[in-house]
């Protein structure tokens, strides 16, 4: 079961990374594959997966509400948050990865992914002098998730759901 789950996550993840970096769109099949594979990898701890998923969805909802409020205050009018500031694919990948991490690890994961994406944007725009208008956040998140997943399976087997400070110890 672990091999099938890992293959699902890897194939879906590589599909998302390729599509997000090359085409700037993400197929729903890749997102479903990552989500299903991640759930199957944690199938022995379904209670922890459900509680992590619910907690992380609540966190994402609060985060999106704060972002919406920020853009409302900034511009003085209601703005469309999705597909203008945040891609729908980025949000769907965030939701798909909600079941993989406990709340603390999920917050650290999102912060690391955003910093990595901004660092990549800085390198492309200022150091390489190539224009990168949109940041491939979903691809960066999945790439980091694959690194963390491979690390937890083969090198440092701890539980991302129950160990609150695990991701900071990698």
């Amino acid at each position: 079961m672990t091999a099938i789950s890992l293959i699902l996550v890897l194939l879906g993840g590589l599909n998302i990374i390729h599509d997000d970096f090359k085409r700037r769109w993400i197929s729903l099949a890749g997102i479903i594959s990552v989500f299903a594979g991640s759930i199957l990898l944690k199938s022995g701890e379904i209670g922890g997966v459900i509680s992590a998923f619910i907690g992380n969805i609540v966190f994402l909802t609060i985060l999106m509400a704060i972002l919406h409020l920020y853009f409302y205050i900034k511009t003085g009018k209601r703005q469309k948050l999705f597909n203008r500031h945040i891609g729908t694919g980025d949000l769907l990948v965030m939701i798909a990865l909600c079941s993989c991490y406990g709340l603390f690890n999920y917050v650290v994961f999102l912060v690391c992914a955003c910093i990595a994406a901004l660092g990549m944007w800085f390198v492309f725009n200022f150091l390489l002098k190539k224009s990168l208008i949109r940041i491939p956040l979903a691809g960066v998140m999945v790439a980091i998730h694959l690194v963390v997943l491979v690390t937890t399976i083969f090198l440092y087997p701890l539980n991302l759901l129950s160990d609150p400070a695990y991701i900071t110890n990698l």
Side-chain angles (χ1 to χ4, degrees), residues 6 9-10 14 17 101 109 139-156 160 166-167 170:
L6 190 57
V9 173
L10 285 174
L14 292 175
I17 292 168
Y101 302 95
F109 168 76
V140 171
M141 282 190 298
V142 170
I144 291 173
H145 175 65
L146 291 178
V147 168
V148 169
L149 186 65
V150 168
T151 303
T152 58
I153 290 176
F154 297 111
L155 300 176
Y156 195 57
L160 290 169
Y166 168 67
I167 204 166
L170 280 179

Side-chain angles (χ1 to χ4, degrees), residues 102-106 108 156 158-170:
L103 183 59
F104 178 78
N105 288 333
Y106 187 69
V108 171
Y156 195 57
L158 282 178
N159 190 341
L160 290 169
L161 289 172
S162 62
D163 188 6
Y166 168 67
I167 204 166
T168 58
N169 294 326
L170 280 179

Side-chain angles (χ1 to χ4, degrees), residues 45-55:
E45 350 169 14
I46 199 68
V49 169
I50 292 171
S51 65
F53 185 78
I54 291 170

Side-chain angles (χ1 to χ4, degrees), residues 11-132:
L11 289 178
L14 292 175
N15 182 18
I16 290 171
I17 292 168
H18 176 267
D19 287 351
D20 201 21
F21 279 90
K22 288 286 186 185
R23 299 183 187 139
R24 298 299 308 136
W25 59 270
I26 301 168
S27 72
L28 191 57
I31 295 171
I32 292 171
S33 177
V34 168
F35 180 70
S38 298
I39 293 288
L40 288 174
L41 277 172
K42 308 282 187 200
S43 62
E45 350 169 14
I46 199 68
V49 169
I50 292 171
S51 65
F53 185 78
I54 291 170
N56 292 337
I57 288 291
V58 168
F59 168 73
L60 271 180
T61 303
I62 293 169
L63 181 65
M64 293 304 145
I66 290 170
L67 281 173
H68 191 71
L69 180 65
Y70 166 76
F71 285 115
Y72 176 75
I73 291 171
K74 180 180 174 185
T75 61
K77 59 183 177 180
R78 285 183 55 138
Q79 292 224 343
K80 191 174 170 185
L81 185 63
F82 301 108
N83 291 333
R84 180 176 173 130
H85 299 289
I86 297 173
T88 305
D90 298 335
L91 179 67
L92 290 175
V93 168
M94 286 180 201
I95 291 170
L97 295 177
C98 276
S99 61
C100 302
Y101 302 95
L103 183 59
F104 178 78
N105 288 333
Y106 187 69
V107 171
V108 171
F109 168 76
L110 282 181
V111 168
C112 290
C114 289
I115 289 171
L118 287 174
M120 188 185 74
W121 177 83
F122 177 79
V123 166
F124 271 90
N125 281 343
F126 295 109
L127 299 179
L128 299 178
K129 304 290 186 200
K130 292 184 178 181
S131 178
L132 185 65

